[in-house]
Amino acid sequence: MTSSPGLPMEAPTQKPRGRLERLGIPRPLAWGFLGVLIFMIGDGVESGYLSPYLMERGVSKDWVALIFTAYGITASIAAWLSGALSELWGPRRVMWAGLGIWALFHVVFLVVAVPSGSPVILMLSYALRGFGYPLFAFGFLVWVASATPQSRLGSAAGWFWFAFTGGLPTLGSLVASGLIPQIGAYWTLWFALGLVTAGGFIALLGVRERTGFHRLAPPGERPLVTLLGSVTILWRRPRVGLGALVRVINTAPQFGYLVFLPIFFTETIGFSLEQWLRLLTVMFAVNIVFNLIFGILGDKLGWRRTIAWFGGLGCAVTTLLLYYVPTASQNYGLALLVAGLYGATLAGYVPLSALMPSLVPRHKGQAMSALNLGAGASVFTGPAIVGIFLGTLGVVGVMWIFAGLYVASAVMTLFLRLPGEQETPGGSAEERAGQPGAQVDSPLAPSPSP
């Protein structure tokens, strides 16, 4: 990496990095990553069996759908609030709120709602619990974005998503599969409460880094201005709005696939349901590993390059492969291969969690709110595209629409330049941030116009 003009020829002596730092984990935040992993394992315990469990207890299929829809809405709202409230209260208090909400309404769900069998009480308690995990997990992500040196922020984001997706649904479902035959479905939900509580305390008592203890908004900024700013930043800082749109495209096809690919692979291609489920497992197991790989790679190659080439263009290619390879071959081994490739390229968007808060260093919490808003919107956008176009264009048409959206996201990513970034032989701004003399962002740094 070349030096930028005007910088000192020799770097100041730096303290040798320990093993955690060499792995990309900020040492002051290390207990937080472990806490998030354990918390999300507890949150994910129910993911594979709660729906059939409720139906076994007499809740109708329509009510189960409403219960999960309400949960999705509250979780999306909380994902947005995690950044806005971190600006007001500080990430640590937001995480405490998330832990408290999760534990309280999970107890209500188990003690009152499940025994009563009332669909209304089940929906209210479960929906209110939906505010819990995004406040805790994404509150910590805001803390990571605010406290990690910019030159290692991509690696730290990769470790966050490694912990998040490793718990929900992967290890959570594995825990459930081992416990349910031993203690039953109901008591397994109580065990989940223990995991969530343990993970919460590990993170909140183990992390002593001081940035997360304080509000992130500039001194003197009024609370209403801060809250409104987490929405208005979408057009006040057009690059942030563009980044949120990239985040929508990131996982919209993923949620859309769950609507029609099970039928496509079982009825059109001829795989069994068990083969489809194993294919899905491989897709997201590979994704977990590559969340970490692309987080680290993003710090070395540049965040924009990683998102655009491996995320946007990579997903465009693997989306088409996911349709054409099984259609042409009906070979299960090749289908597993392309499913794994899609899961890997989907992780190419991980550096977006580092890039977004760096676009507006003075309002990192607001930028993370916009990012999380995009994540929530993708839950509805993908299935909506399927509902509109599947009947007229068929599976192949929908896959080409998703591939086109991924290409569009790659192009949009190229416009997400950091404040003051210049195209020089020295590399991108995120690469230059690790050089001696490079400007270091802080939550209170001036925020130049994009």
Side-chain angles (χ1 to χ4, degrees):
M1 188 180 300
T2 60
S3 298
S4 299
L7 295 179
M9 294 301 294
E10 296 183 2
T13 303
Q14 296 182 352
K15 184 178 178 180
R17 291 194 292 168
R19 181 177 300 176
L20 288 175
E21 283 82 359
R22 289 196 295 270
L23 290 173
I25 302 174
R27 177 177 288 277
L29 300 172
W31 286 108
F33 293 99
L34 177 61
V36 167
L37 174 63
I38 297 173
F39 184 104
M40 296 311 299
I41 291 174
D43 187 73
V45 161
E46 69 198 33
S47 59
Y49 80 92
L50 185 60
S51 176
Y53 173 69
L54 292 177
M55 285 189 282
E56 287 174 5
R57 297 185 63 88
V59 182
S60 71
K61 185 183 296 185
D62 290 341
W63 267 106
V64 169
L66 283 174
I67 289 169
F68 279 87
T69 298
Y71 178 85
I73 291 171
T74 56
S76 297
I77 294 170
W80 164 67
L81 283 174
S82 63
L85 293 179
S86 291
E87 292 262 303
L88 286 175
W89 300 344
R92 189 171 186 265
R93 290 180 64 185
V94 173
M95 292 175 68
W96 273 116
L99 175 60
I101 289 170
W102 201 102
L104 172 63
F105 288 104
H106 191 70
V107 170
V108 172
F109 182 77
L110 293 177
V111 173
V112 179
V114 171
S116 74
S118 166
V120 175
I121 298 175
L122 284 166
M123 182 172 67
L124 288 175
S125 58
Y126 194 60
L128 289 172
R129 203 204 78 182
F131 283 102
Y133 91 80
L135 291 178
F136 179 86
F138 296 139
F140 181 66
L141 181 58
V142 175
W143 197 342
V144 170
S146 301
T148 304
Q150 191 177 22
S151 60
R152 297 197 296 275
L153 187 50
S155 301
W159 277 108
F160 170 83
W161 289 110
F162 179 86
F164 185 97
T165 56
L168 173 69
T170 314
L171 292 179
S173 297
L174 185 63
V175 168
S177 68
L179 284 179
I180 291 174
Q182 304 300 321
I183 63 176
Y186 179 75
W187 289 106
T188 297
L189 292 173
W190 278 106
F191 187 82
L193 175 62
L195 286 173
V196 164
T197 303
F201 281 125
I202 287 172
L204 289 165
L205 300 181
V207 177
R208 308 308 300 170
E209 198 281 329
R210 304 308 295 181
T211 304
F213 283 63
H214 309 289
R215 59 177 273 158
L216 303 179
E221 184 172 282
R222 296 190 301 276
L224 182 60
V225 171
T226 299
L227 284 175
L228 291 177
S230 63
V231 176
T232 62
I233 195 171
L234 294 171
W235 54 86
R236 284 190 295 110
R237 296 289 189 266
R239 291 174 187 170
V240 173
L242 198 63
L245 184 56
V246 171
R247 182 62 184 87
V248 173
I249 295 172
N250 173 196
T251 49
Q254 171 191 327
F255 290 108
Y257 292 155
L258 298 179
V259 176
F260 70 96
L261 281 190
I263 298 172
F264 171 72
F265 275 103
T266 55
E267 296 185 4
T268 303
I269 302 301
F271 296 156
S272 68
L273 179 61
E274 291 74 16
Q275 285 178 313
W276 156 249
L277 292 175
R278 285 197 295 271
L279 187 146
L280 199 62
T281 300
V282 167
M283 181 185 295
F284 290 108
V286 172
N287 175 256
I288 291 169
V289 175
F290 275 84
N291 281 337
L292 178 56
I293 292 173
F294 279 124
I296 296 172
L297 195 63
D299 285 338
K300 299 182 181 298
L301 296 182
W303 300 332
R304 285 203 319 273
R305 294 190 188 101
T306 303
I307 298 165
W309 288 99
F310 293 101
L313 295 182
C315 281
V317 172
T318 55
T319 288
L320 297 177
L321 290 177
L322 197 59
Y323 172 78
Y324 284 107
V325 169
T327 300
S329 67
Q330 280 83 43
N331 184 288
Y332 187 63
L334 290 177
L336 286 174
L337 175 62
V338 295
L341 288 173
Y342 176 74
T345 55
L346 191 64
Y349 286 90
V350 159
L352 194 60
S353 296
L355 180 59
M356 283 284 281
S358 300
L359 293 173
V360 280
R362 197 179 182 194
H363 287 292
K364 293 187 176 185
Q366 291 183 10
M368 294 305 291
S369 286
L371 183 71
N372 295 334
L373 186 63
S378 71
V379 177
F380 306 102
T381 303
I385 291 173
V386 174
I388 294 170
F389 294 106
L390 185 63
T392 55
L393 300 181
V395 172
V396 63
V398 172
M399 297 299 268
W400 273 98
I401 289 173
F402 285 152
L405 287 173
Y406 277 131
V407 172
S409 77
V411 174
M412 288 187 283
T413 299
L414 300 179
F415 293 92
L416 301 181
R417 303 194 184 282
L418 302 182
E421 184 176 4
Q422 297 176 358
E423 294 300 312
T424 71
S428 64
E430 60 266 30
E431 291 168 330
R432 296 195 305 274
Q435 294 184 16
Q439 181 179 354
V440 178
D441 289 330
S442 74
L444 302 181
S447 180
S449 299

